[in-house]
Amino acid sequence: MWRVGIDVGGTFTDLYAVDSGTGAACTGKVLTTPQNRVLGVISAISQAGLSPEDIDLLVHGTTTGTNALIERSFPPAAMITTEGFRDVLEIGRMHREHLYRPYQTKPEPLIRRRNRFVLEERVNARGAVEIPVDPVELEPIIDVLRKRDIQSVAVCLINSYANPANEKAVAELLRKALPDISITMSSDVKPVFREHSRFSTTAVRAVLLPVMATYFERLEIALREKGFKGRLMILKSNGGMMSVEQARTRVEELVESGPAGGIGYASRISDMTGQTKIIHTDVGGTSFDTSVVEDGQGLITREYEIEFDIPVAVPMLDIRSVGAGGGSIGWIDEGGSLRVGPMSAGSEPGPACYGRGGNCPTVTDANLVLGRLSSDLSGKFRLDVDAARQAVGTIAEQLGISIEDCAEGMVRIATEAMAQAVKIVLASRGRDPRDYALASFGGAGPMHACAVASALQTPKVIVPHYSGVASAHGATYLNLKHDEEMFYFTVLSEAALDQVAKQFEQLKARASTALLDQGAANRDVSISHVMRMRYAGQTFEVDVSVPERTITAKELGAIAEAFHQTHKQEFGVRSEDFPIEIVALGVTAEAPIVDAAENSAAPVPEGQGDPSERDVYFAGDWSKALVYGPNTILPGQAIAGPAVVEDAHSCIILPPGWTARADDFRNIIMEEQA
């Protein structure tokens, strides 16, 4: 039986599959079908030569939820909140995205103001109900919801993290009156303080519930019609997976579902190479994604924003994305300067060279003009060089430069955007890029990896064997993963440790049950505990790992020191002058979904033939570059740039001054010569 990972991106849908018995592997890459992404999933399975009835496990990463949020392509939802808090989604955190841009505007709220309603109820910060919910006050709101055909309602009452009684009362009344709509309570989504992040995250769940329900229904029907009888699992933003049944309700955890598989592959690369610090990068047709992996684990954030001041405050891999991919469009701004992205040609119509009706110059067109891509795209389909030159020529003429120089300029601008995205991730987490290796994934990633590494002064680039389908590959061996958290506020030195232990047990029981309900074996479940902590007076926290048992008073000093060290690593400072506060407790439960023996790497077949040669444009001139086919670089073999290494789903560009070698796992390790 086959274990299959599928990643649906903006331009391509990738597939990686491994036979659980023999270790044999196969891959697939097809154009994404944006009008119905399920069609691309079925097409990828077919292209790989697989029969759905032979698939035992299918792990699916999807950008459907992310796209719906960015495009605002979801049915109208409503919010019911406490009187005086109707505009929390718009007011936000009272800060500016660009300090010196006077005419900036904030993104449109996920729920329109006309669909946000208030109740005269109140729970205080200690959890006492001061004003209970009046059912009569809710009746006219229900009438409006019914008339406007609202499909989903977010119930976001102030201080519900301390006591959800009023939220539960509202939700119960709504369910009785409107049984066909989805009800989401903020106390279920994020039972911790700070109303803006709690309300925003609840709004994300509310608007995505009908979108993802429709998508998963279509996906399951299509798979069943093709004979699929295995387990369907969905990638989560925290680097794990969950059942499709749970994914239907916890939709806010799907925002970075697609790139999450790549983090899993980066963790595997860390084990293979012994490189403990890795910058994960993934360049597809539409975007560039980057994150940091340390000691085999992706860094987690609770401050992710879909757009400026629209947070999704659940534990997520700290992934940053910019509009810089193969389909990113080159254009000239009002000042006459060359720009690239964030607009993308996507899969429809795609780059001009695809011959699907596109006529805008893209990064893929530029690479084809420069000779860095083969005109047959490694055998997938024929690229139109003349169409690419014509498209790039439209802006080269306006700039008064050659087509080749314009194409190289486009590539350099896209590469710099990628490097800047990496710098933002590293700087925000207090990391130095010179301490890391850059792991390059995606069909277009290895084409730009050396240039990105040079801009970052990163000494080493790693291109794994399945880099072109990395997220799909990584999806096949991620664990089931579930997070739970609870508000708990106190000064660390004054913590009631018996109460802390009791709350951790409650969280542990909920998280373990969630995994067991998804098919995990009790013996395989592991639990990790964290305290979210800060210096008194701060408005942000860091997660500090604590023992998975009852904490004693003697251990508080060690926990305080762990907090100081974590704060120093993240922000560059520590202080003994301020009390340390706990603001929340959290647990993460994990369990493998397949046996460790099934995760062994399949043997890589050797390629055939000597390298060929073609002209490639570097630094303003054409150079003769050796072109190596798939798997033709043997373990231990070294090559020097300029060179091109092509395989079925990606292309490595080795510029002059760089060398590359293959390790025992057929990963390509590239380094710039001093």
Side-chain angles (χ1 to χ4, degrees):
M1 298 296 285
W2 290 86
R3 193 164 77 249
V4 176
I6 292 181
D7 172 42
V8 179
T11 303
F12 289 102
T13 295
D14 299 338
L15 177 146
Y16 172 85
V18 59
D19 189 308
S20 302
T22 66
C26 64
T27 61
K29 184 183 282 282
V30 301
L31 289 170
T32 294
T33 50
Q35 72 282 3
N36 183 357
R37 292 177 176 85
V38 171
L39 300 178
V41 173
I42 301 302
S43 178
I45 295 172
S46 176
Q47 188 204 62
L50 298 175
S51 173
E53 61 188 17
D54 294 330
I55 299 174
D56 181 52
L57 173 67
L58 193 155
V59 186
H60 179 33
T62 175
T63 57
T64 300
T66 309
N67 293 338
L69 292 171
I70 293 172
E71 298 167 2
R72 302 296 194 270
S73 55
F74 45 73
M79 172 187 282
I80 296 177
T81 188
T82 306
E83 187 173 28
F85 292 87
R86 182 182 184 185
D87 297 316
V88 163
L89 294 181
E90 286 170 302
I91 294 171
R93 297 170 180 170
M94 295 294 292
H95 63 157
R96 299 167 64 89
E97 183 178 15
H98 306 287
L99 186 59
Y100 299 109
R101 185 178 296 174
Y103 302 111
Q104 61 190 295
T105 57
K106 297 182 70 171
E108 178 186 344
L110 297 178
I111 299 177
R112 297 176 61 185
R113 193 175 194 273
R114 69 188 298 266
N115 290 332
R116 301 197 297 264
F117 307 93
V118 298
L119 295 175
E120 188 180 353
E121 65 78 42
R122 192 73 179 194
V123 172
N124 66 28
R126 293 178 296 277
V129 177
E130 295 183 351
I131 304 176
V133 173
D134 183 356
V136 175
E137 189 182 4
L138 198 59
E139 290 176 0
I141 297 175
I142 291 173
D143 290 338
V144 174
L145 296 177
R146 189 180 290 114
K147 290 176 182 177
R148 294 181 183 174
D149 195 27
I150 296 295
Q151 297 185 27
S152 184
V153 177
V155 182
C156 302
L157 304 184
I158 195 67
N159 296 327
S160 62
Y161 63 88
N163 182 354
N166 277 6
E167 280 198 351
K168 289 180 177 179
V170 172
E172 183 63 26
L173 291 168
L174 289 175
R175 290 191 181 102
K176 288 181 179 178
L178 303 168
D180 296 329
I181 69 172
S182 300
I183 309 298
T184 300
M185 295 188 298
S186 71
S187 53
D188 280 345
V189 176
K190 186 175 174 60
V192 296
F193 73 161
R194 294 203 178 104
E195 65 272 9
H196 178 241
S197 58
R198 178 160 51 89
F199 287 12
S200 176
T201 307
T202 306
V204 169
R205 178 183 287 192
V207 301
L208 286 186
L209 278 172
V211 174
M212 299 312 300
T214 299
Y215 178 76
F216 290 139
E217 182 180 9
R218 288 179 179 175
L219 179 62
E220 288 185 298
I221 291 174
L223 289 171
R224 283 199 302 268
E225 288 178 347
K226 296 293 184 180
F228 175 73
K229 299 178 181 178
R231 300 177 64 186
L232 176 61
M233 309 296 290
I234 309 299
L235 286 184
K236 299 178 64 171
S237 306
N238 66 356
M241 67 174 77
M242 58 182 164
S243 67
V244 68
E245 291 78 18
Q246 189 173 93
R248 283 192 176 92
T249 59
R250 300 177 71 95
V251 290
E252 72 280 2
E253 297 182 6
L254 304 176
V255 172
E256 285 289 357
S257 170
I263 310 298
Y265 198 7
S267 299
R268 192 175 181 90
I269 296 302
S270 180
D271 293 337
M272 288 180 180
T273 63
Q275 183 74 41
T276 59
K277 295 183 177 182
I278 288 178
I279 301 168
H280 150 263
T281 63
D282 192 334
V283 186
T286 304
S287 65
F288 171 84
D289 304 318
T290 184
S291 60
V292 176
V293 174
E294 294 179 346
D295 298 322
Q297 300 295 319
L299 298 186
I300 296 293
T301 181
R302 298 173 189 266
E303 300 295 328
Y304 182 89
E305 290 185 338
I306 303 164
E307 297 177 67
F308 173 69
D309 223 20
I310 302 182
V312 186
V314 295
M316 298 175 62
L317 291 165
D318 194 358
I319 301 172
R320 304 295 173 93
S321 302
V322 295
S328 294
I329 295 172
W331 53 287
I332 297 175
D333 65 16
E334 294 178 354
S337 297
L338 178 62
R339 304 284 294 276
V340 177
M343 304 81 68
S344 173
S347 60
E348 293 182 2
C353 61
Y354 281 13
R356 296 166 60 89
N359 54 19
C360 294
T362 68
V363 174
T364 295
D365 295 311
N367 278 313
L368 183 60
V369 166
L370 299 174
R372 302 181 185 186
L373 272 177
S374 65
S375 59
D376 67 347
L377 201 62
S378 301
K380 285 196 287 295
F381 55 85
R382 177 65 58 177
L383 298 180
D384 189 336
V385 179
D386 291 337
R389 290 186 63 85
Q390 183 176 352
V392 175
T394 59
I395 56 176
E397 183 178 355
Q398 296 178 62
L399 294 169
I401 59 177
S402 70
I403 292 175
E404 289 79 10
D405 287 343
C406 182
E408 188 169 39
M410 288 176 60
V411 172
R412 286 182 175 178
I413 291 170
T415 298
E416 184 58 31
M418 298 173 192
Q420 289 300 319
V422 176
K423 289 176 182 177
I424 290 172
V425 172
L426 294 172
S428 67
R429 305 301 294 259
R431 268 68 171 180
D432 188 334
R434 293 170 294 184
D435 298 332
Y436 291 75
L438 188 146
S440 181
F441 299 158
M447 299 186 68
H448 305 274
C450 292
V452 173
S454 291
L456 296 170
Q457 300 183 45
T458 300
K460 184 184 296 183
V461 174
I462 303 171
V463 180
H465 179 64
Y466 290 107
S467 63
V469 291
S471 290
H473 183 281
T476 59
Y477 45 76
L478 291 175
N479 291 337
L480 285 169
K481 197 171 182 180
H482 186 88
D483 298 296
E484 290 282 350
E485 63 181 341
M486 180 182 294
F487 178 73
Y488 181 77
F489 185 84
T490 186
V491 175
L492 175 63
S493 60
E494 301 173 3
L497 297 181
D498 55 342
Q499 181 66 19
V500 170
K502 181 180 178 180
Q503 291 194 329
F504 268 132
E505 282 301 315
Q506 293 175 6
L507 294 171
K508 179 180 177 181
R510 294 209 299 259
S512 298
T513 300
L515 292 195
L516 297 178
D517 289 345
Q518 296 175 76
N522 191 49
R523 65 180 181 278
D524 295 332
V525 175
S526 62
I527 305 286
S528 59
H529 293 184
V530 298
M531 289 180 175
R532 297 185 63 195
M533 305 169 71
R534 67 183 185 185
Y535 291 117
Q538 287 184 312
T539 57
F540 52 86
E541 300 82 37
V542 296
D543 286 1
V544 178
S545 297
V546 296
E548 287 83 58
R549 52 175 170 74
T550 301
I551 298 169
T552 65
K554 293 181 179 179
E555 294 174 305
L556 292 181
I559 293 173
E561 179 58 28
F563 165 76
H564 289 309
Q565 292 180 2
T566 303
H567 197 280
K568 172 74 172 178
Q569 182 181 41
E570 295 291 332
F571 303 110
V573 294
R574 60 177 288 165
S575 175
E576 310 290 339
D577 299 331
F578 298 92
I580 300 171
E581 294 175 339
I582 306 170
V583 301
L585 308 176
V587 303
T588 298
E590 285 193 72
I593 199 167
V594 296
D595 294 334
E598 294 184 27
N599 279 332
S600 57
V604 178
E606 292 186 7
Q608 300 293 325
D610 296 324
S612 59
E613 191 177 71
R614 75 165 177 254
D615 291 331
V616 181
Y617 199 82
F618 289 107
D621 202 2
W622 292 97
S623 301
K624 293 291 184 182
L626 292 177
V627 181
Y628 296 83
N631 310 319
T632 55
I633 303 178
L634 303 177
Q637 180 182 354
I639 63 173
V644 180
V645 183
E646 299 177 333
D647 69 15
H649 303 306
S650 66
C651 175
I652 300 172
I653 297 298
L654 191 68
W658 283 75
T659 60
R661 61 179 175 83
D663 67 9
D664 292 340
F665 300 97
R666 294 294 181 88
N667 302 310
I668 304 298
I669 314 297
M670 301 186 289
E671 297 177 291
E672 189 171 14
Q673 299 305 295

